[in-house]
Amino acid sequence: MSAIKVFILSDSIGETAHNVALAAAAQFSDYDIRYQRFPFVRTDSLLQTVLSQALKEHAAIFHTFVDRRLSQIVNQFCEAHELPYYDVITPALDTFSQITHVQPSNHPGTVHALNTNYFDRINAIEFAVTYDDGKNPSGFLEADVVLLGVSRTSKTPLSLYLANRNLKVANLPLVPQAQIPDEIWKVDRKKIFGLTNDPEKLNDIRRQRMVQYGLNPDTMYSNTDKIKAELEYADKIFKKIGCLVINVANKSIEETATLITESLNTDDTNNG
């Protein structure tokens, strides 16, 4: 079967429509689905050009137009030419209009405006990069979240994902015989999260990592006994700190991040 083509259209950057399409497509993993994004489509001429291309390539369309007129043009075009489509934003706008009895402002890209929230997110990302991998222990005292774990427990990608939620994250790799920075013991344990994994899963991940580097996968780094020793050492540290421990073996970054943010929110509620 040939690849399924999906056009992402928006009068903003199209991230929402793209994410919705990806989430739905994840349930059809046996198919080759290819995406092409067309952001900032705000004129009739550009829209018609893209629609003509979609018709030529028999592409499905996911779109987010806050400009109601443009969304109607897309919907009517797709219905007239029997192109599959999904209008991501219009039903949501209609719902809020019903609740508020007010029409939407029709300002494309409002959610991505360069407001305080945007700059906070940029600062959080810069923080995560600066204090990644225990580079500077002082970051542990400034962080909203501190991640601890042995190598290849998703500390760095999780740090960056949480940074996109405006959380300042520092992480520290746990290595037997290595000294734990004094700053760690001064951090509120509710901000610290221990990341662990199943030995077999970690063995596979580390072997794949070595192969990607063009190196022999059978090294001490991927030795199962050594991995078990590392995990046992990490577990002792977690228990000493008294932090929440999350096994990332069968969890996505999103799932792990949700557990962390929910824990932080619960603690905030309890402290309030």
Side-chain angles (χ1 to χ4, degrees):
M1 181 179 179
S2 59
I4 297 172
K5 296 182 180 180
V6 177
F7 279 18
I8 308 295
L9 279 64
S10 178
D11 44 15
S12 183
I13 64 174
E15 182 177 2
T16 300
H18 191 206
N19 287 339
V20 169
L22 288 174
Q27 304 301 317
F28 302 88
S29 57
D30 292 337
Y31 292 85
D32 180 13
I33 304 177
R34 301 179 185 178
Y35 304 90
Q36 188 167 352
R37 191 185 296 192
F38 298 88
F40 306 113
V41 178
R42 296 178 180 176
T43 64
D44 288 19
S45 58
L46 179 56
L47 179 57
Q48 290 297 338
T49 299
V50 175
L51 291 176
S52 297
Q53 187 65 26
L55 181 60
K56 186 183 300 182
E57 299 187 25
H58 306 288
I61 292 177
F62 279 67
H63 70 86
T64 47
F65 286 101
V66 297
D67 185 327
R68 184 64 60 95
R69 188 180 62 82
L70 293 179
S71 66
Q72 288 177 344
I73 290 175
V74 176
N75 295 346
Q76 291 170 1
F77 181 92
C78 291
E79 290 170 3
H81 295 87
E82 298 184 346
L83 280 180
Y85 74 96
Y86 186 66
D87 183 343
V88 177
I89 201 72
T90 299
L93 293 174
D94 289 343
T95 297
F96 278 107
S97 289
Q98 292 172 8
I99 295 170
T100 63
H101 305 292
V102 174
Q103 291 301 308
S105 62
N106 291 336
H107 292 153
T110 303
V111 74
H112 301 290
L114 299 184
N115 52 23
T116 302
N117 186 63
Y118 173 84
F119 289 108
D120 285 345
R121 185 164 71 251
I122 296 301
N123 289 334
I125 292 172
E126 290 177 346
F127 185 95
V129 172
T130 301
Y131 297 106
D132 181 47
D133 220 23
K135 292 173 185 173
N136 187 340
S138 66
F140 299 129
L141 301 176
E142 301 175 39
D144 299 315
V145 174
V146 174
L147 303 177
L148 307 180
V150 303
S151 176
R152 313 314 302 170
T153 48
S154 303
K155 296 184 298 299
T156 297
L158 183 56
S159 294
L160 292 172
Y161 184 89
L162 289 168
N164 272 287
R165 296 189 176 187
N166 290 16
L167 290 170
K168 294 186 295 183
V169 186
N171 71 73
L172 175 70
L174 296 180
V175 182
Q177 286 81 52
Q179 184 176 356
I180 301 295
D182 292 338
E183 287 83 355
I184 288 293
W185 309 107
K186 300 175 184 177
V187 178
D188 183 347
R189 65 177 180 82
K190 293 176 181 177
K191 294 183 178 181
I192 301 177
F193 296 86
L195 305 179
T196 189
N197 207 326
D198 295 341
E200 297 78 14
K201 183 80 171 180
L202 200 50
N203 173 268
D204 289 340
I205 293 172
R206 291 187 177 184
R207 286 175 60 85
Q208 290 173 14
R209 187 68 168 178
M210 298 303 287
V211 169
Q212 289 173 355
Y213 286 153
L215 300 174
N216 181 1
D218 297 315
T219 64
M220 286 301 295
Y221 180 66
S222 59
N223 180 273
T224 302
D225 290 337
K226 182 177 180 295
I227 288 173
K228 289 179 179 178
E230 287 183 46
L231 292 172
E232 289 172 2
Y233 166 76
D235 190 54
K236 290 178 182 178
I237 298 296
F238 300 153
K239 288 178 179 177
K240 189 172 182 179
I241 294 172
C243 62
L244 177 66
V245 180
I246 302 174
N247 189 326
V248 301
N250 296 304
K251 291 183 179 64
S252 65
I253 294 294
E254 293 83 356
E255 289 173 318
T256 305
T258 298
L259 290 174
I260 289 172
T261 54
E262 286 181 350
S263 176
L264 293 172
N265 291 335
T266 300
D267 290 338
D268 290 343
T269 301
N270 291 340
N271 293 335

